[in-house]
Amino acid sequence: MKIFTAENIRKADDYTIQNEPISSVQLMERAALSCVDWISVNCKQHTKFVVFCGNGNNGGDGFAVARILYLKGFDVDVFINKDKLSFSDNALINYKRLKDISGISVKDFSEIEKYNFEKAVIIDALFGTGLSGNLEGSYKDLIENLNLKNNPKISIDIPSGMFADQLNEKNDVIFKADYTLTFQFWKKTFLHPETGKFAGKAVVLDIQLSCEFIDKTKSDDFVINDDLILKIFKPRQDFSHKGTYGKSIIVGGSYGKIGAAVLATKSALKTGSGLTFVLAPNCGYEILQTSAPEAMFIEGGMKNIDTIDEQENAVYGIGSGLGTEKETEKTLLNFLENHKSPLILDADALNMISKNENHLKLIPKNSIITPHPKEFERLFGKTDNSFKRLELAKTKAKQFGIYIVLKDHHTQVVNPEGQVFYNITGNSGLAKGGSGDILTGMITSLLAQKYSSEDAAILGVWLHGKAADLAAEKHSKEAMQPTDVIDEIRNVFLDLNKKATTLL
């Protein structure tokens, strides 16, 4: 799914209006109906809604939502700024329609202090994507007041005060929604930690904007959705053998950190690697052979890895629990100097490479690195925020011809062409040691199975997050463990295969 800028979303609206054809107020009605449909299903236990409307088209959406909710039997009150009744054309039409309904009370913002918000859902339709500056004055005070209330909160299209395409300043006031009902596209700011927390759970509603416009309009930013995954996923063929699905070699483990290598190895096995090896120090031999008997063991040292042998037609995933001993660092750099095929680098492998910027040049083209924000900072330098970090990642991916999996709540896959794929599966239950090792094993396995570097990275982060979502449902985000995520990989593949079969 493409991510469009606010400007391109407006162009999509205009194109749809001109070519469907449909009037702009009818399109607004379509958007409002989609919101009410969602609210009717997901807010059944609530009967009272309080809608805060601005003067622009976002306010027009709010007026339409309020009217339709009332006609469906809900109690609805609307708040506006009665000192400024100069509405946009479409907002004015919907305001007049609302005023014709005697059962809806229209109040001024100044009446908020005397209003009884008990058991009400607050709907924010104050400002849309056209916001040009930070909120000040009465609007700032209003949103600060609403944010203090414990009522469920829904934003229409985008939380008021938030920009769509750039980060806000640290102290900007933004409406803090529990849900944001957004139209057709994710907004980029929903996917970054500094602002995404204000959007709550984003729900993308299809309002049938022109497919022709969407297809022909370029974007370098994408959301990894089910449609993309089904295009990438390759179901296992009946007439095949273990050699068909590649050879994965997990290089990791050191004294006291063998568990990391176990997790990476198990996830590589569960993700479908035809042959799986684990190259680890001898101190982990019994642990690895007992916990992952399907994998073959290669000794790479005694307590730390000091040897990495090159094997033909193998994909290496290096870093899980590797340690940063001098001998291990020397071994890694020597291996990289001679290895020319794409591989996966994570954790301690990245920490050792980060000691000298020249080491980055040793990474083979089309390789995949999977840093978390601190590892990224060690590799490429500090940035002020996640937007700037992403821009730096795009620069470095192009410079070194590599794929960067920038781990975050919404992990980003950055390719050398400057395209970014945001992952929307996963949850905070992954915020535990060992989760990254699982991802390394998954991507290594997929690359060994002849997925391209880009497809392996995209499918890997999606699979990782999807399995984690299933684990959280069973065990809770707090109690789920990385091993629970590995166990759920099978269920994700079962579902994928069903969907892939349905498409045939």
Side-chain angles (χ1 to χ4, degrees), residues 63-84:
F63 292 136
V65 166
R67 169 172 47 82
I68 300 168
L69 281 171
Y70 178 80
L71 294 175
K72 281 185 171 285
F74 295 100
D75 294 329
V76 182
D77 289 321
V78 173
F79 280 82
I80 63 171
N81 184 353
K82 289 187 175 181
D83 291 335
K84 295 180 180 179

Side-chain angles (χ1 to χ4, degrees), residues 294-359:
E294 302 91 343
M296 290 163 276
F297 184 85
I298 303 171
E299 183 179 319
M302 293 306 293
K303 288 190 173 183
N304 299 283
I305 289 176
D306 56 23
T307 302
I308 304 176
D309 291 329
E310 178 85 30
Q311 291 197 27
E312 290 185 5
N313 302 317
V315 172
Y316 288 78
I318 307 176
S320 297
L322 193 61
T324 56
E325 295 293 324
K326 287 184 178 180
E327 191 62 32
T328 303
E329 180 181 337
K330 180 181 177 182
T331 299
L332 171 65
L333 297 177
N334 286 339
F335 177 78
L336 292 177
E337 283 182 357
N338 297 297
H339 188 78
K340 304 304 177 187
S341 300
L343 46 71
I344 293 85
L345 295 169
D346 182 37
D348 283 335
L350 298 178
N351 291 330
M352 288 185 281
I353 289 170
S354 69
K355 292 180 181 180
N356 188 320
E357 60 182 326
N358 289 325
H359 294 165

Side-chain angles (χ1 to χ4, degrees), residues 158-170:
I158 189 170
S160 291
M162 185 190 293
F163 301 123
D165 308 318
Q166 66 185 58
L167 292 182
N168 288 75
E169 296 296 327
K170 185 176 181 181

Side-chain angles (χ1 to χ4, degrees), residues 380-399:
F380 302 118
K382 192 171 185 177
T383 54
D384 293 334
N385 56 57
S386 66
F387 261 55
K388 291 184 177 178
R389 182 172 66 226
L390 181 57
E391 288 304 311
L392 180 58
K394 289 162 71 174
T395 299
K396 296 302 181 181
K398 181 178 180 180
Q399 179 182 349

Side-chain angles (χ1 to χ4, degrees), residues 8 21 31 48 78 96 125 127 144 162 187 262 264 279 318 322 399 455 467-468 494 498 504:
N8 275 341
K48 182 179 179 181
V78 173
K96 288 179 177 178
F127 295 96
E144 285 180 328
M162 185 190 293
K187 310 301 187 284
V262 170
L279 192 158
I318 307 176
L322 193 61
Q399 179 182 349
D455 287 351
L494 284 170
K498 285 179 184 176
L504 295 176

Side-chain angles (χ1 to χ4, degrees), residues 149-274:
K149 300 188 181 303
N150 292 324
N151 304 66
K153 300 181 183 71
I154 298 172
S155 280
I156 303 299
D157 201 27
I158 189 170
S160 291
M162 185 190 293
F163 301 123
D165 308 318
Q166 66 185 58
L167 292 182
N168 288 75
E169 296 296 327
K170 185 176 181 181
N171 295 319
D172 285 355
V173 172
I174 302 171
F175 184 83
K176 197 169 193 318
D178 297 300
Y179 292 90
T180 297
L181 308 183
T182 196
F183 303 130
Q184 203 72 50
F185 308 97
W186 282 79
K187 310 301 187 284
K188 191 170 181 178
T189 44
F190 294 177
L191 297 159
H192 285 259
E194 296 91 340
T195 44
K197 60 188 177 184
F198 292 99
K201 182 174 177 56
V203 180
V204 181
L205 302 175
D206 183 358
I207 59 170
Q208 299 168 39
L209 294 182
S210 170
C211 292
E212 181 182 356
F213 179 88
I214 294 170
D215 289 342
K216 74 179 184 179
T217 303
K218 184 179 182 298
S219 176
D220 286 332
D221 295 321
F222 303 85
V223 164
I224 303 171
N225 62 0
D226 288 1
D227 289 342
L228 176 58
I229 292 302
L230 286 170
K231 289 178 183 177
I232 291 173
F233 175 60
K234 297 183 287 190
R236 224 165 172 88
Q237 300 301 308
D238 291 336
F239 291 93
S240 58
H241 52 83
K242 62 187 177 184
T244 308
Y245 302 105
K247 181 193 298 185
S248 302
I249 301 180
I250 300 299
V251 181
S254 56
Y255 186 79
K257 297 180 182 179
I258 297 300
V262 170
L263 292 172
T265 304
K266 282 188 170 184
S267 66
L269 289 163
K270 280 284 189 180
T271 308
S273 173

